[in-house]
Amino acid sequence: MKEKLYFLLKSSKLYQEFTYLTENDCLRRFLAFKVILNCMSFEDLVKNRQFSSIRSIRNVFLAHKQEGDFFNAFNATNLISSSLIDQLISFMEDYTDLNESVFSELNDHGLRNKIFELTKKILEKFEEDYFTGFRLSNNFLCAQNEQISEISSGPISSIFYRYNSSKHLSFLSNYFISNLVSYPEMIFVLRNAKIDYVLHAVNMFECIFKDTHNNYSIDGLHDVLLAKNIGDISALASLQQDSGLLDTYKQLRNVRNKLAGHMDKNSSLEHLLALTDQLDFDNVFCFVNRLDKAVFDTANTHIAIRVHYMPNQPKALSINDSNVIEVSGFQNEPYFS
């Protein structure tokens, strides 16, 4: 048990430090979301839910009882702030006696500096690719100046609130994974990035097909379009016929349930981390690409779907027209208040 609590606290403290390496509040909230997920798992391990109201943040953005209204997501993101993260980490610290010897990533100055230098470059590159200039960005984990979002309600938009947010966070995790694989001394950070990627890969699948094991999960895109007889769902239906893709989903879902969305109480941490280490991430990346290609093809079959789907590819949706001088709309409160 102690090793699991240490792992959750260590990664939370590390990601909290990462929020100081960027000036972008969207990226800060992406990183802080990791701390929220960790604390929810931590609470369950110690059987003390001190922050029950905060679980709604997780539920809004994952496959848990998603509301079909933009403002539910927008209001939830405003709860993600540095003061909340301070509270969550203080709570976790009260249950552990973490010392310097078990957290070299923050207390070994040489390793710390290497991690922070690389992370800062990753965050700067991600910001350059996704947040410079005016952007069409249907990511509902944050809303900021120069970010243009579609605002509506209903089952299709509800699905894409989740789908686009998980897709965008998977991009960030991929940036970490692609860079960290060359640094074996940063295995702790790499494992966390892989865990994040698995979480969002599974959520993307469950945005397409309802998770029948979760009574609170909303209908997926395939289910809604079928019921409403909108668009051509053949690309989505073909995913259900791909035994290899379904096997990958089951494998990733097992990791999500035991380590990413929750922390399994029965298995050792060593065993749980081995599940992640054993994943073929070329296959995992291919899994996500297959999902997104099917969603892209489906979105292009009907305007009622396409208006909710925004690809968010690097630099592809930056609006550089000199006639656009300002964007007025909803903007989250500053992360550091």
Side-chain angles (χ1 to χ4, degrees), residues 16-259:
Q16 181 188 39
E17 292 289 336
F18 288 169
T19 63
Y20 292 95
L21 301 179
T22 177
E23 299 296 320
N24 187 286
D25 275 350
C26 279
L27 296 188
R28 287 167 174 163
R29 286 188 163 91
F30 291 176
L31 297 165
F33 187 57
K34 169 78 165 183
V35 182
I36 292 171
L37 294 172
N38 281 351
C39 189
M40 301 302 96
S41 295
F42 193 102
E43 284 186 326
D44 290 340
L45 288 176
V46 300
K47 299 180 180 179
N48 183 3
R49 291 191 173 185
Q50 287 289 312
F51 300 93
S52 296
S53 62
I54 303 305
R55 288 178 178 262
S56 63
I57 298 176
R58 181 187 70 177
N59 295 350
V60 162
F61 297 106
L62 300 182
H64 296 74
K65 206 174 182 179
Q66 166 69 31
E67 302 291 344
D69 189 333
F70 166 84
F71 295 100
N72 288 71
F74 179 77
N75 292 334
T77 59
N78 272 332
L79 298 176
I80 305 176
S81 65
S82 61
S83 59
L84 171 64
I85 299 308
D86 287 342
Q87 294 176 51
L88 299 182
I89 289 181
S90 293
F91 166 77
M92 290 186 277
E93 287 178 329
D94 289 341
Y95 278 88
T96 59
D97 55 352
L98 190 65
N99 58 59
E100 293 187 3
S101 64
V102 295
F103 197 2
S104 58
E105 288 78 13
L106 280 181
N107 296 303
D108 179 323
H109 292 297
L111 179 57
R112 174 193 171 106
N113 289 340
K114 286 183 179 179
I115 291 173
F116 280 34
E117 181 180 353
L118 179 59
T119 298
K120 186 174 178 62
K121 290 180 179 178
I122 291 171
L123 295 175
E124 287 174 348
K125 177 59 177 172
F126 192 82
E127 180 177 15
E128 176 187 345
D129 286 349
Y130 292 99
F131 291 99
T132 54
F134 298 104
R135 295 293 180 129
L136 293 171
S137 179
N138 243 4
N139 174 2
F140 288 83
L141 194 56
C142 71
Q144 68 173 24
N145 189 31
E146 298 187 350
Q147 183 174 337
I148 306 165
S149 300
E150 174 265 336
I151 301 173
S152 62
S153 61
I156 298 178
S157 59
S158 176
I159 289 165
F160 278 105
Y161 294 164
R162 282 170 45 206
Y163 182 86
N164 289 325
S165 295
S166 274
K167 179 182 172 182
H168 212 168
L169 266 71
S170 74
F171 289 165
L172 179 58
S173 299
N174 197 342
Y175 274 47
F176 274 93
I177 294 169
S178 300
N179 285 278
L180 290 166
V181 291
S182 302
Y183 299 90
E185 69 274 23
M186 300 184 191
I187 182 64
F188 180 78
V189 192
L190 176 60
R191 280 171 164 166
N192 273 280
K194 287 183 174 181
I195 290 169
D196 293 343
Y197 196 89
V198 168
L199 175 73
H200 297 300
V202 173
N203 195 53
M204 288 171 67
F205 184 95
E206 292 175 356
C207 288
I208 301 172
F209 304 106
K210 181 175 182 177
D211 176 13
T212 56
H213 297 90
N214 178 357
N215 292 331
Y216 296 104
S217 182
I218 66 169
D219 288 339
L221 182 64
H222 176 272
D223 312 300
V224 170
L225 298 183
L226 182 63
K228 291 182 173 292
N229 194 26
I230 296 176
D232 180 353
I233 61 171
S234 58
L236 302 181
S238 68
L239 297 177
Q240 291 182 307
Q241 307 303 316
D242 189 324
S243 59
L245 183 133
L246 295 179
D247 287 343
T248 299
Y249 164 67
K250 292 176 183 177
Q251 184 182 20
L252 297 179
R253 191 177 190 279
N254 184 52
V255 175
R256 190 277 304 272
N257 290 349
K258 291 180 177 293
L259 188 58

